[in-house]
Amino acid sequence: MDFPSEDLVYGRIPVSDVSPVVEGGRFPATAVPGEDIRVGATVFREGHDSLGVTAVLYDPDGREAQRRRMTLVAPGTDRYEAWLRPEYEGRWSFAVEGWSDLYDTWHHAAQIKLGVGQDVELMFQEACLLFDAASKESDRSHAEVRAFEDAAAAMRDTTRSADERWEIATSQQLRDAVAERPLRDLLSSSPHYPVEVEREAAGRGSWYEFFPRSEGAVYDPETGTWTSGTFRTATAALDRAASMGFDVAYLPPIHPIGRNHRKGPNNTLVAGEQDPGSPWAIGGPEGGHDAIHPDLGTFEDFDAFVGHAHELGLEVALDLALQASPDHPWVQEHPQWFTTRADGSIAYAENPPKKYQDIYPLNFDNDPQGLANEVLRVVQLWISHGVDIFRVDNPHTKPLWFWEWLIARVREEHPDTVFLAEAFTRPAMMQGLAKAGFQQSYSYFTWRNTKEEIEEYLEEVSHETSGFYRPNFFVNTPDILTEYLQFGGPAAFKVRAALAATASPLWGVYAGFELFEHVARPGAEEYIDNEKFQLRPRDFRGAGERGESLAPYITRLNQIRRDHPALGDLQNLTLQSASDDAIVAFSKTKTVQRDGVDVKDTVITVINTDPHATREATVWLDLDSLDLRDEDFNEDGSFWVDDLISGASWKWGTHNYVRLDPYVEPAHVLSIRRSVR
């Protein structure tokens, strides 16, 4: 039997608790091209010899692509971290290596012993052996080989003084050489863990949601009738979204709507003849999930709509709501896909005490293969019409195995497909959906409004779950109008927009947000005259002309996101300290290459979360997190920051005074000016 045996858990240098690792590596961690991934591991060893730790990135072909020395997070923790950056799409992998650092072990011991005159010649003999071995390593340059050979010879030369030999052994040239290619022994590696690098839209982007039927809808007061908007009239919404700098135009369901138990305005139980019903009550005589509501147009109209979006640089995201109205063809053709109650009726959706009589949930246990194949067919149909992004309604009410199966099957043939989970539920389920394949998810951000809530949540999503869970920071939805927006005035809308756009690489807006719509249905956290149940055309142009639109502010935020790559990553967020209990401060830093030169980009966001009062504070910055260099500092030790919102500039340092008036500008979005001297 070989000793030690190969089935031992620990290698010669123990490497444990590696991250990001999802379910032991059964699911991949996720990233997008050029995203910096924080790799962590607990690495330790017996005794007092020095330890080295390296994170290694492997490309989809298994070739080593990047190697980064890991640094100790804090003394005594044995926790090491480094950053890796995959550059293109594919299934990458990474591993963590622990090893005995021969040079550092010798250096530490020699420094102590030579200082007291102990084992002087023995220490130089050991250095000679070390440098001889280094000179024979095949990956050394000619200059390095010569330097190690000369150093080894010097260690043997007893005519040289101890001080002279020590100076040679610790020269900058040798130290640089061992820093670049350490002298390693007892190399131990973790397993290789997968990282799925998906296209940019999976992890970066800004979303704009609107109802096509409201865009261009017309009311005739003489007859009291409405004419629905169509895909042709809704191209105006695409123009609007593109002009504000959004990347994705998201449409609620566009399918036929059931008549049976149709809901009326404000979710009332009785609908009038003119009430259009909820788009999420899918299915009627005209068809189901594979059909288009006739009021919106035809497939030809839809294709033209998608084509116009692509011309504007927009992608179209379609709602995938796996439920049916009582009038859906599935109800008659496949009753086994639903739940039959004791009285023989089909169960409608309930969230007691709420009842949704116009919707039948699907049951995946009676005919799982048949239902799964039908959903796959529907998704593939819409992909064939130019839809590569799906916002999935209530995925947490379906089994995880189904999503794991569906997303994997879809992406086998269409790897660019992106799925966003609309899941406001328990953390385990939301995270389970992400592990199963959802690239994005709605999040608790909507309800995190105080400084304490915001800081706690930003820390969680950027450091604890960021290896697999990507939060899309929607500021509102047709169902969600928080009290913060109801009563915070225009400043509250600015606060939430600035916070979402700079804290997460993904954020979203539901139409009407830019008009400061804030009136809720009494006793509810949703809009009065909810667009889910009625047509709601808006005068966006008039609001802009009157100066009553947030569109210019949103446009500026989206432009800032495009200009500053630091905002395109999630894991690089660092919370900074502010003395006021309403002011949140955080920074993001990223190094990118421009014209072959490394450029450091840093954005600091400082936000007054109190929309009603001016707040003053001292903001203390962790300068190490800003990755500042000597040339970034002014002669007085300060550095310049430029406010990307107001255009103002200030000299900042470790501690900085801020005063944020919500009625003027509730947020600073600051860029550090680099290489000032």
Side-chain angles (χ1 to χ4, degrees):
M1 178 183 297
D2 292 336
F3 188 82
S5 62
E6 294 181 356
D7 60 351
L8 295 176
V9 173
Y10 286 130
R12 180 61 184 83
I13 304 293
V15 178
S16 62
D17 298 326
V18 178
S19 64
V21 176
V22 184
E23 297 290 356
R26 289 182 294 173
F27 293 115
T30 56
V32 293
E35 180 180 5
D36 290 324
I37 305 169
R38 180 189 291 105
V39 174
T42 299
V43 187
F44 54 96
R45 67 171 301 177
E46 84 294 340
H48 302 288
D49 286 356
S50 295
L51 181 69
V53 186
T54 307
V56 187
L57 182 67
Y58 299 91
D59 71 14
D61 293 323
R63 298 179 300 237
E64 182 179 313
Q66 200 174 70
R67 176 176 292 271
R68 292 287 182 269
R69 185 76 178 261
M70 301 179 73
T71 57
L72 192 63
V73 174
T77 64
D78 294 320
R79 188 69 183 172
Y80 291 80
E81 286 186 355
W83 295 88
L84 297 175
R85 182 183 296 180
E87 295 292 353
Y88 53 89
E89 297 172 36
R91 179 63 67 93
W92 296 61
S93 63
F94 75 95
V96 173
E97 299 174 344
W99 37 274
S100 180
D101 189 331
L102 299 178
Y103 180 81
D104 196 65
T105 297
W106 173 84
H107 182 277
H108 177 73
Q111 191 171 34
I112 295 173
K113 290 186 176 183
L114 296 180
V116 296
Q118 182 180 6
D119 297 335
V120 173
E121 289 304 320
L122 179 60
M123 295 311 299
F124 287 128
Q125 289 177 26
E126 291 181 349
C128 178
L129 294 175
L130 199 61
F131 297 150
D132 270 336
S135 69
K136 295 177 173 61
E137 292 178 340
S138 60
D139 58 347
R140 297 286 178 187
S141 68
H142 177 74
E144 287 179 341
V145 169
R146 182 63 181 271
F148 279 119
E149 289 176 343
D150 291 346
M155 297 304 103
R156 291 190 293 267
D157 187 356
T158 56
T159 64
R160 296 176 183 266
S161 68
D163 288 343
E164 186 179 1
R165 283 184 281 176
W166 171 256
E167 185 175 345
I168 293 171
T170 59
S171 69
Q172 190 63 50
Q173 183 181 16
L174 291 189
R175 292 169 71 90
D176 289 344
V178 297
E180 180 69 23
R181 280 176 292 279
L183 307 182
R184 306 193 301 173
D185 192 20
L186 308 179
L187 178 65
S188 306
S189 178
S190 73
H192 288 214
Y193 294 107
V195 178
E196 187 71 24
V197 181
E198 302 160 306
R199 72 184 181 104
E200 183 149 336
R204 298 185 182 116
S206 51
W207 289 49
Y208 186 73
E209 176 183 1
F210 62 89
F211 287 68
R213 69 185 189 182
S214 289
E215 300 289 337
V218 178
Y219 179 70
D220 186 343
E222 293 185 3
T223 61
T225 59
W226 281 93
T227 300
S228 171
T230 68
F231 286 129
R232 296 193 180 276
T233 61
T235 56
L238 295 176
D239 296 335
R240 187 171 69 247
S243 70
M244 287 187 286
F246 286 101
D247 304 302
V248 178
Y250 154 52
L251 313 182
I254 59 174
H255 316 297
I257 298 171
R259 299 291 313 188
N260 199 342
H261 294 295
R262 177 176 288 190
K263 295 295 184 71
N266 290 306
N267 205 21
T268 55
L269 295 178
V270 180
E273 186 63 29
Q274 279 284 300
D275 293 329
S278 169
W280 282 270
I282 297 171
E286 307 89 347
H289 288 72
D290 54 0
I292 290 174
H293 197 296
D295 286 352
L296 294 175
T298 65
F299 270 99
E300 182 180 0
D301 296 326
F302 179 75
D303 291 343
F305 176 87
V306 173
H308 184 64
H310 291 170
E311 290 172 359
L312 295 170
L314 289 167
E315 294 199 56
V316 173
L318 198 60
D319 201 287
L320 180 63
L322 297 187
Q323 58 211 28
S325 82
D327 303 320
H328 198 293
W330 288 346
V331 177
Q332 296 298 322
E333 297 170 5
H334 300 282
Q336 72 275 20
W337 293 350
F338 304 91
T339 298
T340 302
R341 307 194 68 174
D343 62 359
S345 65
I346 293 179
Y348 54 74
E350 293 186 80
N351 185 12
K354 293 182 179 181
K355 296 183 178 183
Y356 305 93
Q357 297 92 333
D358 57 338
I359 292 174
Y360 287 167
L362 297 175
N363 185 325
F364 283 81
D365 294 325
N366 296 334
D367 178 20
Q369 183 174 354
L371 182 51
N373 286 335
E374 172 66 358
V375 175
L376 176 61
R377 182 189 70 83
V378 167
V379 170
Q380 290 174 329
L381 168 69
W382 292 107
I383 291 175
S384 72
H385 286 275
V387 176
D388 289 323
I389 303 178
F390 295 88
R391 178 268 199 193
V392 180
D393 191 64
N394 288 326
H396 55 289
T397 62
K398 286 79 180 173
L400 283 182
W401 71 259
F402 166 72
W403 295 119
E404 183 181 350
W405 176 86
L406 178 72
I407 295 173
R409 287 294 300 274
V410 170
R411 298 192 76 241
E412 281 178 8
E413 296 184 21
H414 309 283
D416 285 345
T417 311
V418 174
F419 291 86
L420 164 64
E422 187 263 347
F424 299 106
T425 185
R426 301 181 306 280
M429 175 57 81
M430 294 175 72
Q431 294 173 20
L433 290 165
K435 295 172 185 178
F438 279 93
Q439 291 97 334
Q440 305 177 22
S441 177
Y442 281 50
S443 71
Y444 300 133
F445 167 77
T446 321
W447 296 280
R448 302 298 187 258
N449 294 298
T450 67
K451 175 179 179 175
E452 181 180 6
E453 292 169 345
I454 292 167
E455 290 186 338
E456 180 181 2
Y457 194 58
L458 292 184
E459 182 71 19
E460 175 186 330
V461 298
S462 65
H463 294 279
E464 298 172 20
T465 59
S466 53
F468 60 92
Y469 177 83
R470 295 194 189 106
N472 193 320
F473 280 5
F474 263 81
V475 290
N476 67 329
T477 77
D479 287 324
I480 302 173
L481 176 65
T482 61
E483 290 187 355
Y484 187 87
L485 293 179
Q486 290 178 36
F487 304 109
F493 287 74
K494 277 191 170 184
V495 168
R496 298 303 291 177
L499 186 59
T502 59
S504 174
L506 294 160
W507 81 300
V509 170
Y510 158 54
F513 181 88
E514 67 267 47
L515 303 186
F516 307 106
E517 291 180 356
H518 65 280
V519 180
R521 183 164 58 86
E525 196 185 52
E526 63 181 42
Y527 294 88
I528 197 167
D529 302 330
N530 196 305
E531 196 171 1
K532 285 178 62 176
F533 306 103
Q534 63 190 73
L535 304 180
R536 191 167 178 172
R538 299 173 173 91
D539 184 12
F540 293 100
R541 177 177 296 179
E545 292 173 350
R546 296 189 299 272
E548 298 172 355
S549 172
L550 195 63
Y553 192 79
I554 293 172
T555 304
R556 181 63 188 139
L557 289 174
N558 279 332
Q559 185 61 51
I560 291 170
R561 286 166 54 88
R562 281 188 165 84
D563 292 344
H564 291 272
L567 299 179
D569 284 8
L570 178 64
Q571 300 184 39
N572 61 344
L573 187 146
T574 300
L575 289 172
Q576 307 289 351
S577 299
S579 60
D580 187 87
D581 62 5
I583 290 185
V584 173
F586 58 87
S587 63
K588 288 188 171 188
T589 294
K590 186 179 181 71
T591 301
V592 296
Q593 275 213 341
R594 290 175 181 162
D595 299 325
V597 177
D598 283 347
V599 177
K600 296 183 183 298
D601 178 46
T602 299
V603 176
I604 304 169
T605 300
V606 185
I607 295 183
N608 175 9
T609 63
D610 181 353
H612 304 291
T614 299
R615 296 293 188 122
E616 302 179 28
T618 298
V619 175
W620 288 280
L621 296 175
D622 173 10
L623 297 188
D624 288 341
S625 69
L626 306 180
D627 202 10
L628 293 162
R629 301 163 299 181
D630 290 343
E631 57 265 35
D632 300 327
F633 288 97
N634 299 305
E635 292 183 357
D636 60 2
S638 66
F639 53 89
W640 283 102
V641 293
D642 302 314
D643 194 326
L644 303 172
I645 298 293
S646 69
S649 299
W650 300 279
K651 283 185 174 181
W652 271 34
T654 304
H655 55 277
N656 312 279
Y657 168 78
V658 296
R659 182 180 187 274
L660 292 168
D661 182 346
Y663 297 99
V664 181
E665 287 295 349
H668 290 318
V669 180
L670 307 171
S671 174
I672 292 181
R673 198 183 304 172
R674 298 285 183 168
S675 300
V676 296
R677 62 184 177 90

